[in-house]
Amino acid sequence: MFEFDLGKAVAEVRKRKAKLVAVQIPEGMKTRLPAMLEKLEGKTGAEAFAFVDPCFGACGLKDVASKELGADLLIHFGHTKFVAKEAVETVYIPVEYNPDKRAVSRLAESLAEQMEKKGFKKIGLCSTIQFRQHLRIVEAEMKKRGFGVFVGKGRNVEKGQVLGCNYTSVKAIGKKIDAIAFVGDGLFHPIGLSFAVNKLVFLVDPIEKEVQELALQRDLFLRKRIAMIEKARQAKSFAIWVSTKKGQQRLALARNLKKKFEQRGKKAFVFTSNLLAPDYVLGIGVEAIVSTACPRIALDDSSLYGKPVINPAEARVVLGEKKLEDYEFEDLS
Ligand code: SF4
């Protein structure tokens, strides 16, 4: 179960003597908002309000809007600091998945067995912030079993933390390890990892309670992306999308890509919005989309758009600047 530390939020509001508090919470937890706001107000005497725009990462931080609305404190649940300076005083409170220590130890045992079968001795570990406690347990268990364990420190992230747009903590240890294990759920991050370090990736999944090697999924993913790139090659017109979210405002890149498409006789237009959603492009008559925003849009959600959606690295293949063999996973770090 995902848990957030409301006690910490209460303490921070009291400590800072905040009067009007803005709150942000990850998408899947909104059902808990009324109870949370009620408690926060009841225990601090401050007034609180919550943003309900979808929030998938700290790139969606609402510091500017909080300031404009007159809040003197923003409490951002779920993610870690992403920007150098916020427009309003901001407290980050990660949301974490409570570990079942025994179950995680069993996962580590299974990881160790799979490593041994491959003859691997050195493992790199990483996770999203939601599973950092699980990572520590796996780290201790693997060390206990005699493996060399490496947990890297990347740029603008905690030790061992990865984001879908930032794998620097893994790149930092890439040369020292035989394989890498991602502790968490879903395929998006571990597939990204497999391109970031080009090592065998294991998914240690505390929710499904299984450990799996992802070589096949990586191949399948690559085949899908190649098909998407081939479709985009046939397109005569492109929307190049720029998100206004933090860390994603890649207008210079979009303008550059537009020029290159035009030089090759294609039509290209730059569009911008905060969130990129299929509805937004329904009526826009282009044949393909280049998303310069969060990598997840092109890689996880592209089937929802009814037209090819590629990222800038893939656009370079379409433009003939890069070969398919040098496929790269888009990384905004
Ligand atoms: S850009 Fe995407 S992967 Fe990066 S922090 Fe935002 S939601 Fe997460």
Side-chain angles (χ1 to χ4, degrees):
M1 172 113 175
F2 283 104
E3 284 306 337
F4 51 80
D5 188 350
L6 190 60
K8 177 157 192 233
V10 168
E12 293 287 350
V13 173
R14 284 184 184 148
K15 187 169 91 188
R16 292 157 201 264
K17 299 189 174 42
K19 301 261 176 303
L20 183 59
V21 182
V23 172
Q24 271 189 286
I25 192 164
E27 236 350 64
M29 302 186 81
K30 281 185 190 158
T31 49
R32 293 156 81 174
L33 266 178
M36 175 209 266
L37 291 176
E38 206 172 8
K39 272 195 197 152
L40 198 59
E41 289 190 331
K43 287 183 185 267
T44 63
E47 276 183 71
F49 65 90
F51 288 96
V52 289
D53 314 54
C55 180
F56 304 109
C59 56
L61 191 76
K62 290 286 185 191
D63 58 332
V64 175
S66 298
K67 187 173 182 195
E68 285 169 354
L69 291 168
D72 42 16
L73 180 65
L74 168 62
I75 300 184
H76 182 98
F77 285 100
H79 310 103
T80 47
K81 189 173 168 71
F82 188 79
V83 291
K85 177 107 187 78
E86 299 83 0
V88 72
E89 207 169 343
T90 303
V91 173
Y92 297 86
I93 304 184
V95 170
E96 301 199 39
Y97 196 79
N98 274 344
D100 168 348
K101 208 168 168 222
R102 231 188 267 163
V104 182
S105 302
R106 278 198 294 274
L107 290 176
E109 194 179 318
S110 166
L111 174 64
E113 281 166 13
Q114 296 192 38
M115 287 280 289
E116 270 157 15
K117 268 190 209 149
K118 301 263 174 206
F120 291 160
K121 299 203 167 3
K122 289 175 280 180
I123 183 91
L125 295 177
C126 63
S127 73
T128 53
I129 203 69
Q130 292 81 7
F131 291 93
R132 64 179 167 185
Q133 296 180 55
H134 298 71
L135 183 142
R136 301 288 165 247
I137 299 170
V138 175
E139 182 181 7
E141 292 287 334
M142 294 302 280
K143 279 184 182 161
K144 215 159 64 186
R145 288 174 168 79
F147 288 91
V149 182
F150 297 83
V151 183
K153 173 77 183 84
R155 218 175 19 252
N156 301 329
V157 281
E158 289 191 3
K159 196 174 172 210
Q161 182 189 2
V162 290
L163 301 172
C165 58
N166 181 343
Y167 292 100
T168 49
S169 66
V170 177
K171 287 178 183 167
I173 53 169
K175 291 206 174 94
K176 300 178 185 163
I177 55 177
D178 299 322
I180 180 98
F182 170 77
V183 184
D185 65 333
L187 286 177
F188 173 61
H189 294 96
I191 292 289
L193 273 178
S194 66
F195 289 98
V197 286
N198 213 7
K199 299 275 166 152
L200 183 63
V201 175
F202 292 98
L203 168 61
V204 178
D205 188 334
I207 293 183
E208 296 297 328
K209 297 193 178 14
E210 61 179 16
V211 177
Q212 51 166 322
E213 178 197 312
L214 296 182
L216 271 179
Q217 281 87 340
R218 184 187 192 272
D219 280 358
L220 189 65
F221 171 86
L222 191 52
R223 262 184 262 152
K224 279 193 193 154
R225 294 317 301 167
I226 290 171
M228 195 63 87
I229 291 168
E230 290 308 331
K231 272 196 209 157
R233 266 197 233 268
Q234 314 305 319
K236 294 189 182 61
S237 56
F238 291 81
I240 304 170
W241 217 281
V242 179
S243 168
T244 56
K245 284 179 194 270
K246 294 178 194 304
Q248 299 182 31
Q249 299 158 354
R250 301 162 91 195
L251 185 61
L253 169 67
R255 290 169 62 199
N256 187 268
L257 288 172
K258 172 179 154 67
K259 232 179 256 161
K260 288 181 175 171
F261 277 115
E262 287 170 347
Q263 282 162 359
R264 285 155 181 80
K266 312 269 188 186
K267 284 189 185 302
F269 309 92
V270 175
F271 296 115
T272 181
S273 58
N274 187 263
L275 187 75
L276 175 52
D279 292 5
Y280 294 6
V281 284
L282 262 184
I284 296 179
V286 291
E287 294 174 14
I289 298 168
V290 181
S291 165
T292 68
C294 173
R296 195 184 277 271
I297 293 164
L299 303 177
D300 255 8
D301 303 341
S302 50
S303 60
L304 307 172
Y305 288 78
K307 49 188 82 181
V309 184
I310 56 175
N311 63 36
E314 293 168 339
R316 277 179 215 115
V317 179
V318 172
L319 287 164
E321 291 182 348
K322 264 185 62 182
K323 293 196 181 120
L324 262 182
E325 300 85 84
D326 306 321
Y327 185 86
E328 263 181 66
F329 194 85
E330 189 71 11
D331 185 335
L332 309 186
S333 60

